[in-house]
mmCIF file of all heavy atoms in Angstrom:
data_model
loop_
_atom_site.group_PDB
_atom_site.id
_atom_site.type_symbol
_atom_site.label_atom_id
_atom_site.label_comp_id
_atom_site.label_asym_id
_atom_site.label_seq_id
_atom_site.Cartn_x
_atom_site.Cartn_y
_atom_site.Cartn_z
ATOM 1 N N LEU A 186 -16.058 -14.801 -10.022
ATOM 2 C CA LEU A 186 -15.301 -13.588 -9.466
ATOM 3 C C LEU A 186 -13.853 -13.585 -9.867
ATOM 4 O O LEU A 186 -13.156 -12.607 -10.160
ATOM 5 C CB LEU A 186 -15.551 -13.381 -7.912
ATOM 6 C CG LEU A 186 -16.995 -12.941 -7.539
ATOM 7 C CD1 LEU A 186 -17.146 -13.063 -5.888
ATOM 8 C CD2 LEU A 186 -17.301 -11.625 -8.060
ATOM 9 N N ALA A 187 -13.272 -14.798 -9.612
ATOM 10 C CA ALA A 187 -11.900 -14.993 -9.930
ATOM 11 C C ALA A 187 -11.626 -14.666 -11.507
ATOM 12 O O ALA A 187 -10.688 -14.102 -11.854
ATOM 13 C CB ALA A 187 -11.416 -16.426 -9.658
ATOM 14 N N ALA A 188 -12.517 -15.183 -12.327
ATOM 15 C CA ALA A 188 -12.366 -15.049 -13.728
ATOM 16 C C ALA A 188 -12.458 -13.498 -14.095
ATOM 17 O O ALA A 188 -11.583 -13.029 -14.945
ATOM 18 C CB ALA A 188 -13.425 -15.804 -14.580
ATOM 19 N N VAL A 189 -13.348 -12.794 -13.593
ATOM 20 C CA VAL A 189 -13.540 -11.374 -13.814
ATOM 21 C C VAL A 189 -12.263 -10.563 -13.237
ATOM 22 O O VAL A 189 -11.836 -9.667 -13.900
ATOM 23 C CB VAL A 189 -14.860 -10.743 -13.169
ATOM 24 C CG1 VAL A 189 -14.911 -9.300 -13.189
ATOM 25 C CG2 VAL A 189 -16.066 -11.440 -13.712
ATOM 26 N N THR A 190 -11.845 -11.049 -12.064
ATOM 27 C CA THR A 190 -10.537 -10.461 -11.600
ATOM 28 C C THR A 190 -9.480 -10.613 -12.591
ATOM 29 O O THR A 190 -8.691 -9.667 -12.902
ATOM 30 C CB THR A 190 -10.130 -11.055 -10.309
ATOM 31 O OG1 THR A 190 -11.198 -10.942 -9.253
ATOM 32 C CG2 THR A 190 -8.861 -10.578 -9.677
ATOM 33 N N GLY A 191 -9.205 -11.728 -13.242
ATOM 34 C CA GLY A 191 -8.153 -11.971 -14.214
ATOM 35 C C GLY A 191 -8.259 -11.076 -15.467
ATOM 36 O O GLY A 191 -7.383 -10.552 -15.776
ATOM 37 N N LEU A 192 -9.609 -10.940 -15.866
ATOM 38 C CA LEU A 192 -9.893 -10.041 -16.972
ATOM 39 C C LEU A 192 -9.576 -8.491 -16.560
ATOM 40 O O LEU A 192 -9.071 -7.805 -17.433
ATOM 41 C CB LEU A 192 -11.246 -10.175 -17.450
ATOM 42 C CG LEU A 192 -11.629 -11.482 -18.046
ATOM 43 C CD1 LEU A 192 -13.153 -11.665 -18.409
ATOM 44 C CD2 LEU A 192 -10.896 -11.601 -19.343
ATOM 45 N N ALA A 193 -10.010 -8.162 -15.349
ATOM 46 C CA ALA A 193 -9.662 -6.817 -14.944
ATOM 47 C C ALA A 193 -8.098 -6.499 -14.993
ATOM 48 O O ALA A 193 -7.647 -5.513 -15.298
ATOM 49 C CB ALA A 193 -10.341 -6.565 -13.600
ATOM 50 N N TYR A 194 -7.377 -7.502 -14.502
ATOM 51 C CA TYR A 194 -5.853 -7.334 -14.353
ATOM 52 C C TYR A 194 -5.314 -7.250 -15.775
ATOM 53 O O TYR A 194 -4.536 -6.419 -16.039
ATOM 54 C CB TYR A 194 -5.284 -8.602 -13.712
ATOM 55 C CG TYR A 194 -5.367 -8.583 -12.215
ATOM 56 C CD1 TYR A 194 -5.364 -9.818 -11.534
ATOM 57 C CD2 TYR A 194 -5.665 -7.447 -11.403
ATOM 58 C CE1 TYR A 194 -5.571 -9.792 -10.166
ATOM 59 C CE2 TYR A 194 -5.797 -7.361 -10.089
ATOM 60 C CZ TYR A 194 -5.721 -8.672 -9.420
ATOM 61 O OH TYR A 194 -5.892 -8.660 -8.012
ATOM 62 N N LEU A 195 -5.953 -8.101 -16.679
ATOM 63 C CA LEU A 195 -5.384 -8.039 -18.109
ATOM 64 C C LEU A 195 -5.707 -6.624 -18.662
ATOM 65 O O LEU A 195 -4.912 -5.997 -19.414
ATOM 66 C CB LEU A 195 -6.073 -9.075 -18.850
ATOM 67 C CG LEU A 195 -5.573 -9.392 -20.422
ATOM 68 C CD1 LEU A 195 -4.146 -9.690 -20.338
ATOM 69 C CD2 LEU A 195 -6.430 -10.357 -20.965
ATOM 70 N N ALA A 196 -6.945 -6.169 -18.574
ATOM 71 C CA ALA A 196 -7.237 -4.727 -19.017
ATOM 72 C C ALA A 196 -6.485 -3.754 -18.345
ATOM 73 O O ALA A 196 -6.007 -2.837 -19.112
ATOM 74 C CB ALA A 196 -8.708 -4.563 -18.907
ATOM 75 N N ALA A 197 -6.207 -3.775 -17.183
ATOM 76 C CA ALA A 197 -5.374 -2.769 -16.375
ATOM 77 C C ALA A 197 -3.990 -2.763 -16.927
ATOM 78 O O ALA A 197 -3.427 -1.716 -17.174
ATOM 79 C CB ALA A 197 -5.502 -2.965 -14.974
ATOM 80 N N ALA A 198 -3.416 -4.016 -17.134
ATOM 81 C CA ALA A 198 -2.065 -4.051 -17.758
ATOM 82 C C ALA A 198 -1.986 -3.440 -19.044
ATOM 83 O O ALA A 198 -1.037 -2.729 -19.324
ATOM 84 C CB ALA A 198 -1.604 -5.600 -17.734
ATOM 85 N N ALA A 199 -3.027 -3.705 -19.894
ATOM 86 C CA ALA A 199 -2.892 -3.114 -21.231
ATOM 87 C C ALA A 199 -2.922 -1.602 -21.163
ATOM 88 O O ALA A 199 -2.208 -0.857 -21.846
ATOM 89 C CB ALA A 199 -3.964 -3.644 -22.059
ATOM 90 N N LEU A 200 -3.881 -0.958 -20.290
ATOM 91 C CA LEU A 200 -3.923 0.337 -20.131
ATOM 92 C C LEU A 200 -2.586 0.954 -19.607
ATOM 93 O O LEU A 200 -2.156 2.073 -20.013
ATOM 94 C CB LEU A 200 -5.170 0.713 -19.360
ATOM 95 C CG LEU A 200 -6.419 0.582 -19.859
ATOM 96 C CD1 LEU A 200 -7.489 0.683 -18.811
ATOM 97 C CD2 LEU A 200 -6.659 1.661 -20.879
ATOM 98 N N ALA A 201 -2.074 0.384 -18.592
ATOM 99 C CA ALA A 201 -0.779 0.793 -17.906
ATOM 100 C C ALA A 201 0.358 0.866 -18.918
ATOM 101 O O ALA A 201 1.051 1.794 -19.101
ATOM 102 C CB ALA A 201 -0.426 0.027 -16.738
ATOM 103 N N TRP A 202 0.441 -0.199 -19.733
ATOM 104 C CA TRP A 202 1.529 -0.492 -20.756
ATOM 105 C C TRP A 202 1.289 0.707 -21.834
ATOM 106 O O TRP A 202 2.304 1.267 -22.296
ATOM 107 C CB TRP A 202 1.419 -1.817 -21.250
ATOM 108 C CG TRP A 202 2.599 -1.897 -22.314
ATOM 109 C CD1 TRP A 202 3.865 -2.161 -22.260
ATOM 110 C CD2 TRP A 202 2.378 -1.786 -23.795
ATOM 111 N NE1 TRP A 202 4.558 -2.311 -23.371
ATOM 112 C CE2 TRP A 202 3.596 -2.077 -24.496
ATOM 113 C CE3 TRP A 202 1.211 -1.561 -24.591
ATOM 114 C CZ2 TRP A 202 3.818 -1.968 -25.718
ATOM 115 C CZ3 TRP A 202 1.458 -1.440 -25.966
ATOM 116 C CH2 TRP A 202 2.726 -1.704 -26.529
#
Side-chain angles (χ1 to χ4, degrees):
L186 288 172
V189 173
T190 297
L192 292 175
Y194 287 154
L195 188 61
L200 285 167
W202 178 82

